[in-house]
Amino acid sequence: MEWLMGNTVLYMSMSLDGYIAGPNETDVNGLGDGGGRLHEWVFPPEGGVNSRIVEEFMATGAVVAGRGTFEPAEGWHGDHHDGVPIWVLSRRAIPGWASDMSAVHYTNDIEAAFREARDAASGKDVLVHGAATAQRALAAGLLDQIEIHLIPVLLGEGRRLFEHLGSQHRELERLRVLAGEGDVTHLRYRIHY
C-alpha cells in the first residue's frame, strides 16, 4: 500500500461532471434522480479492482458521517460494517429510532468527532461519508485523503462534492489511479494544507 493506515479518508462516488447525487434529492430519494448509477460499481463480482476498493473501505475502524447521509441510510441499522463506531455530525439530537444503536454517537463538534473516531479506529483508517461532512473537515484541516470513484456519466445537475470550500488553496498529491470494472476510475489523493 502506498500510504500508512490511520488516515481520515473520504470515499465518494462522483459523476464526471462533479455530482455525488442527482437532482430532487430528498429523505426518501437520498441519491436523487439517477444518483443510484453512481454506486453500481460497489456491488462487483468476486475479485477485481472494485472488490479491492470495497474491501479497503470495509476494513476501516470507525465512521464519521453527516446526518444527511446517516439518516436516509436508516443508520445502516446501527452497523455500517463490523460493528465499528459511527459519529454523526448534526445540530439535532439523535432521533428516537437511532437512540438504541450503541455504536452511534451524535455530535456537532467536528474536531471531537474526528479525534474520537481516530482513537476508536486503533490505527485503522476512518471512513468519512457525506459532502457537507467532507467540506467541514476540509475547512478544519481534518481530512487526510480523498478517494473519488469517478463514474463515466454526466448527471447534469444535483449535489456537488466540492462546493462551499472557500477560497483557501489546497494541493492534492496523487497516491494512485486504478481502472475498475464498469469503467469506474478510482482516484486517491493526499491533501496538503
Side-chain angles (χ1 to χ4, degrees), residues 72-149:
E74 297 177 348
W76 306 291
H77 305 286
D79 186 7
H80 186 279
H81 65 278
D82 300 331
V84 302
I86 303 165
W87 278 264
V88 180
L89 294 172
S90 177
R91 289 185 285 279
R92 300 179 191 168
I94 190 168
W97 58 265
S99 61
D100 291 336
M101 297 178 178
S102 61
V104 176
H105 313 279
Y106 263 61
T107 182
N108 191 37
D109 186 337
I110 191 168
E111 290 183 7
F114 273 72
R115 181 179 59 251
E116 292 169 16
R118 275 186 193 271
D119 290 346
S122 299
K124 293 182 177 181
D125 284 346
V126 174
L127 170 60
V128 178
H129 268 310
T133 299
Q135 292 163 9
R136 286 182 64 191
L138 276 166
L142 298 170
L143 190 62
D144 298 321
Q145 296 180 7
I146 298 172
E147 175 128 0
I148 297 295
H149 316 293

Side-chain angles (χ1 to χ4, degrees), residues 2-3 144-145 171-173 175 188-192:
E2 299 90 0
W3 57 89
D144 298 321
Q145 296 180 7
E171 289 289 331
L172 303 178
E173 173 190 352
L175 298 176
R188 189 158 180 139
Y189 297 94
R190 177 177 291 118
I191 303 164
H192 294 281

